[in-house]
Amino acid sequence: MIEAVGLTKRYGDKTAVYNLSFQVRPGAVTGFLGPNGSGKSTTMRMILGLDNPTAGSVTIGGYPYRRLPNAPRHVGALLDAKAVHGGRTARNHLLSLAQLSGIPARRVDEVLGVVGLQDVARRRSKGFSLGMGQRLGIAAALLGDPQVLLFDEPVNGLDPEGILWVRNLMKALAAEGRTVFVSSHLMSEMALTADHLIVIGRGQLLADMSVQDFIEANSAGFARVRTPDSEPQQREKLTSALTEAGGHVLPEQDGGLRVTGLALPRISAIAHEADVRLWELSPHQASLEEAYMRMTQAAVDYRSTVDQKSGLMQPLPPGAAPPVPVPGQGQPGWYAPPPPQPGPTPPGGPYAGYGAPAAPAPGYGAPAAPAPGYGAPVAPGAGPVPPAGNPYAQPAPQQPAPQAPAPAVPPAAPVEAPAAAGAQPVASPAAAPAAASAPHDAPTQPEDDR
């Protein structure tokens, strides 16, 4: 199980992740969603010990990643499929990772077969397509047969057959009782793959609930009703009857009616009493994509000028937007541990009951008081950040915002973690030592690899 408590990460005056708390439980595929720049990659890097949190902590099975004995045997990850020495063959790349972790060589051939690369195992990886590179990265994550798996955009570059294969693989791994944490921007795929969702925006938690609960909490259900197109008076008659019964009726462009406030059996009874024939009476439930767009519309950093035409990204009126809500809070299944509080470590350590050591690993940072707002601490003399209102709400185009005194300095929008100067991207925790030890020119290959 992965547990984050009060996780915060700042890069100078930029806050990538702020006071983030969640759990990723075994036996289910947990989707990790959020707009670009919301802090997903930074969070995954902190889980894997590649970045140190500014405040808070994150553990795997009760221990920080760096304290796990032979971590690749416990945790597998795919963060960057391109982090492979191009001069190595696929088999030699996996073999080097296996030797570093004490994994038998026969396991290399097993995972090559699992990902379907057995026929190109002796080809140099620099000639691989994007989809083949993704499969090789997944093979590296599976190499140690770990109980915890993290995948960042695992279906990127895969064809439909490959996407279906990844979907089935994720579900099979979760069915075996493993912890599967998947970050993706493909909403349609997440709807088919994930059982649970963790959604963040601007580095903060927006939702932590099941896929079905997330859709229900962020969409308005309605009934779609259609009368004979050749009899417009029937539609007008039904509209009046439904309105008198307390329903709210909106016409649609194709001639149908969108009805809210009335259940389907009640709509059918009203139509029967009004002697109106119905061609269609069906419920409508929003897709995961629609629900996600409604949830994150205030946390998008990069927005086209034509987004307002979509109907899902309408600007909110000035002063009318409350702070970003967290749907599901207080409902069954909700989890949000409190942020760490300064003070002495309680008996048994901060992770008592989870099997962790009494003291957190060095370098993970002491708990700190959370900074105001979404961004870094306010500069001296800038004044406090107003506690109310949504700093990201945009005024409607036809109604300019009224003049008001200049607000306090808004918090900086969080960004994805920048790579350290000169550092190479890492595909998985196990790949880091291999990448560091590999020369930059292609090594001498055996006869069967040339």
Side-chain angles (χ1 to χ4, degrees), residues 51-63:
D51 284 341
N52 292 329
T54 305
S57 62
V58 58
T59 58
I60 301 174
Y63 293 86

Side-chain angles (χ1 to χ4, degrees), residues 156-170:
N156 188 25
L158 293 178
D159 56 16
E161 186 277 334
I163 293 176
L164 177 61
W165 166 74
V166 170
R167 184 194 311 158
N168 293 333
L169 174 66
M170 301 296 171

Side-chain angles (χ1 to χ4, degrees), residues 136-303:
L136 182 58
I138 293 174
L142 299 175
L143 193 58
D145 196 22
Q147 288 297 312
V148 178
L149 292 141
L150 292 86
F151 298 98
D152 192 1
E153 300 289 349
V155 298
N156 188 25
L158 293 178
D159 56 16
E161 186 277 334
I163 293 176
L164 177 61
W165 166 74
V166 170
R167 184 194 311 158
N168 293 333
L169 174 66
M170 301 296 171
K171 291 183 176 181
L173 292 171
E176 294 173 359
R178 304 176 197 253
T179 302
V180 183
F181 196 35
V182 186
S183 171
S184 179
H185 286 119
L186 298 180
M187 295 298 106
S188 59
E189 192 57 33
M190 279 290 95
L192 296 173
T193 305
D195 305 298
H196 198 86
L197 291 179
I198 293 174
V199 185
I200 65 174
R202 301 189 188 275
Q204 290 190 309
L205 182 69
L206 298 182
D208 183 356
M209 59 184 67
S210 69
V211 175
Q212 185 63 33
D213 290 343
F214 179 81
I215 294 175
E216 292 177 356
N218 295 281
S219 62
F222 62 89
R224 179 175 172 79
V225 183
R226 179 185 292 276
T227 58
D229 295 338
S230 58
E231 303 177 15
Q233 67 279 5
Q234 292 276 312
R235 183 175 60 178
E236 296 175 0
K237 185 178 180 181
L238 180 61
T239 300
S240 300
L242 294 174
T243 303
E244 291 176 2
H248 184 64
V249 183
L250 291 175
E252 296 188 332
Q253 295 182 353
D254 60 357
L257 298 175
R258 177 179 299 195
V259 183
T260 57
L262 295 173
L264 262 67
R266 178 60 176 155
I267 295 175
S268 176
I270 293 173
H272 178 74
E273 294 170 0
D275 195 22
V276 175
R277 291 185 299 159
L278 297 181
W279 278 10
E280 179 183 353
L281 176 58
S282 60
H284 174 82
Q285 184 180 38
S287 65
L288 176 60
E289 181 180 43
E290 292 178 83
Y292 170 82
M293 296 290 281
R294 292 183 186 276
M295 160 63 73
T296 61
Q297 62 176 320
V300 176
D301 290 325
Y302 311 104
R303 181 175 296 172

Side-chain angles (χ1 to χ4, degrees), residues 82-104:
K82 298 180 181 178
V84 180
H85 195 296
R88 287 179 177 171
T89 65
R91 189 177 189 279
N92 282 349
H93 169 67
L94 297 177
L95 189 60
S96 64
L97 299 180
Q99 291 173 345
L100 288 171
S101 304
I103 298 172

